[in-house]
């Protein structure tokens, strides 16, 4: 009887039996919705004509839940739900702070855009092989990675999203796709193995996998070789998944092989999950070790930006060019993780605003450290990159369909034939180069200012040079594919066998105008809104950066108490 009472007492100490309100389920609903709709689509595998009518509402529900979760977190602070009622750190935690909610909401937005685009861009045969179920599976993994508060659970969600991405990558079963999938699978196998080794090592050191618990314990431990080894292992694993130099070679070899809508999903989301994990683990769990590795991260960021910009200039195929633009963007984000601590940025970013309330809020943030300014800029740029890279690939897919080829040598004349598409593409190209008044401008300003304040002018120069190279690459793409007339020789040969076969390949599942322009216009609207009125997003990314660098609210959400 005494033993039984002892067990009951221990159980009472380890579990929570309080009331759970319906609003609390917002934390896990994005994952549950993805699996629910994915399973329903699998059951309807013999009725692929029904898939869009179920998938689009499902993606709309996912986006709505993500927005509701973001509003709740912005108003109330980080939210936590423990699986099975176990108290932390015994159970698996779903903990979402402002950064996780921002990433999840933007991911839901681009998934909805791609889902609508895919109605016309994915043929019925490819739907039969599971495009929409694989999309929901991948989004379940992406959402879980952004919302989990357990580092082994983060590894699990990486595996879930990779399973979904493997299915999307080989959709079509062409030789080029299988070749790209082999490279993609091998490099991700290496990355996930490193991730798992580091997680096993971490559990041996801390005896826990809860991120809040690790952050508390790591803050009390001396920074020694053991913790530094853990930080280096995670840096390498996440750098490989994010396609940072010198581990970026797998991305150009694989992202050009699937359908354009699949490439858009990959370019927008998958590398950003690696970036998100790097920010979460290095800056929240191991800040002293991150500070020690800051010079290394800075060199990685600079080389990634330059390699991406030069690689984009060297390409003659639209998708291969955009693959290197993705890499350059990853380098820009990494620059925000490479800044030293303790350096103050005296002038806040948005003091030039004419709005008095905004100016007062900006003035209140004077004295913000270079690291916090840079991290806010990095998060802002990551959100911008998710939207812009998705839009670029989708717009390139329409252009390739209209020309019957994705080679710049075979494209032209789209400005006269399709001016709306050309204008949208120009907006995305300006944004990705960091030109005003679009969304890529403000985060680059923040990163350049933070780099100069941190006495790293060479890093600021790398950001500017990368933007200049992307401007040239974008101008070249637009001039060849849109502005110049279609070469007369190619126009005369448009009925030849080679051109006919190439055209059939694209037109077999070509995006029709209405279904392609709706998501493109929505993505372009975000790019313009975040560039012309940046305060609303800058305010959120400032809060997200502060929550990562000073995670007291995150810890109190998990363990209770006042932050």
């Amino acid at each position: 009887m005494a033993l039984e009472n002892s067990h009951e007492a221990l159980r009472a100490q380890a579990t929570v039996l309080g009331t759970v309100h319906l609003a609390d389920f917002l934390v896990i609903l994005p994952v549950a919705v993805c699996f629910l709709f994915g399973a329903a689509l699998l059951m309807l595998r013999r009725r692929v004509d029904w898939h869009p009518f179920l998938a689009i509402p499902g993606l709309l529900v996912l986006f709505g839940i993500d927005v509701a979760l973001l509003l709740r977190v912005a108003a109330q602070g980080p939210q936590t739900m423990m699986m099975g009622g176990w108290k932390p750190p015994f159970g698996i935690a779903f903990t979402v702070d402002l950064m996780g909610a921002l990433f999840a909401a933007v991911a839901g937005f681009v998934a909805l855009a791609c889902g609508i685009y895919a109605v016309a861009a994915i043929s019925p045969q490819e739907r039969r092989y599971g495009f929409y179920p694989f999309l929901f599976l991948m989004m379940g993994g992406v959402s879980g990675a952004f919302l989990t508060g357990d580092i082994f659970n983060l590894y699990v969600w990486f595996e879930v999203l990779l399973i979904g991405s493997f299915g999307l990558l080989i959709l079509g079963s062409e030789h080029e796709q299988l070749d790209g999938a082999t490279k993609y699978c091998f490099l991700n196998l290496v990355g996930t193995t490193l991730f798992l080794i580091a997680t096993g090592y971490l559990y041996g050191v801390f005896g826990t996998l809860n991120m809040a618990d690790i952050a508390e314990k790591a803050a009390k431990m001396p920074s020694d070789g053991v913790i530094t080894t853990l930080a280096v292992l995670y840096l390498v694993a996440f750098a490989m998944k994010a396609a940072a130099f010198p581990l970026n070679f797998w991305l150009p070899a694989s992202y050009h092989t699937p359908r354009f809508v699949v490439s858009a999903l990959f370019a927008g989301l998958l590398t950003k999950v690696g970036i998100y994990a790097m920010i979460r683990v290095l800056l929240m769990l191991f800040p002293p070790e991150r500070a020690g590795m800051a010079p290394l991260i800075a060199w990685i960021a600079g080389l990634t930006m330059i390699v991406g910009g030069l690689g984009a200039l060297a390409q003659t195929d639209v998708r291969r060019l955009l693959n290197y633009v993705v890499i350059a963007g990853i380098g820009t984000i990494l620059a925000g993780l490479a800044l030293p601590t303790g350096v103050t940025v005296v002038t806040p970013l948005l003091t030039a605003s004419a709005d008095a309330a905004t100016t007062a809020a900006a003035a209140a943030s004077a004295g913000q450290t270079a690291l916090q300014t840079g991290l806010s800029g990095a998060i802002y740029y990551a959100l911008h990159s998710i939207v812009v890279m998705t839009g670029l690939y989708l717009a390139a897919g329409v252009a390739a369909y209209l020309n019957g080829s994705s080679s710049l040598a075979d494209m032209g004349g789209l400005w006269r034939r399709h001016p709306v598409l050309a204008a949208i593409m120009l907006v995305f190209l300006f944004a990705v180069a960091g030109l005003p008044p679009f969304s890529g401008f403000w985060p680059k300003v923040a990163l350049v200012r933070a780099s100069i304040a941190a006495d790293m002018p060479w890093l600021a120069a790398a950001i500017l040079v990368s933007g200049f190279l992307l401007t040239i690459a974008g101008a070249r793409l637009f001039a060849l594919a849109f502005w110049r007339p279609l070469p007369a020789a190619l126009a005369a040969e448009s009925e030849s066998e080679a051109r006919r076969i190439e055209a059939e390949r694209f037109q077999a599942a070509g995006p029709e105008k209405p279904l392609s322009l709706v998501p493109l216009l929505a993505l372009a609207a975000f790019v313009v809104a975040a560039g012309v009125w940046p305060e609303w997003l800058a305010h959120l990314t400032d809060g997200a950066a502060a929550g990562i660098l000073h995670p007291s609210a995150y810890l109190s959400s998990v363990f209770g108490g006042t932050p």
Side-chain angles (χ1 to χ4, degrees), residues 99-154:
M99 184 177 78
L102 278 169
F103 273 85
V106 176
F109 175 52
V110 299
L112 176 60
C114 289
I116 296 171
Y117 183 98
V119 174
I122 297 298
S123 67
Q125 181 181 6
E126 290 167 338
R127 286 185 208 160
R128 186 165 62 86
Y129 286 112
F131 172 82
Y132 282 111
F134 279 129
L135 172 59
F136 274 102
L137 179 61
M138 191 189 84
M139 285 307 301
V142 169
S143 300
F146 291 151
L147 304 179
T148 187
D150 181 280
I151 202 158
F152 182 76
N153 210 228
L154 177 63

Side-chain angles (χ1 to χ4, degrees), residues 366-387:
Q368 190 178 75
T369 65
L371 178 57
Q372 184 169 338
T373 300
L375 181 57
S376 175
I379 295 171
Y380 196 124
Y381 195 88
L383 300 174
H384 140 88
S385 184
I386 291 173
V387 176

Side-chain angles (χ1 to χ4, degrees), residues 120-209:
I122 297 298
S123 67
Q125 181 181 6
E126 290 167 338
R127 286 185 208 160
R128 186 165 62 86
Y129 286 112
F131 172 82
Y132 282 111
F134 279 129
L135 172 59
F136 274 102
L137 179 61
M138 191 189 84
M139 285 307 301
V142 169
S143 300
F146 291 151
L147 304 179
T148 187
D150 181 280
I151 202 158
F152 182 76
N153 210 228
L154 177 63
Y155 165 79
V156 171
W157 293 122
F158 262 105
E159 294 300 296
V160 171
L161 72 88
L162 285 175
I163 292 170
S165 67
F166 293 155
L168 292 172
L169 191 62
I170 61 171
L171 210 66
S173 301
E174 297 172 5
H175 175 76
E176 189 181 37
Q177 291 176 324
L178 297 176
D179 178 67
T182 301
K183 299 168 185 174
Y184 177 81
C185 293
F186 177 76
L187 267 297
N188 274 284
L189 175 64
V190 174
T192 52
T193 301
L194 280 174
F195 188 1
L196 187 58
I197 290 171
T199 303
Y201 190 17
L202 180 142
Y203 185 70
V205 172
F206 290 97
T208 181
L209 295 168

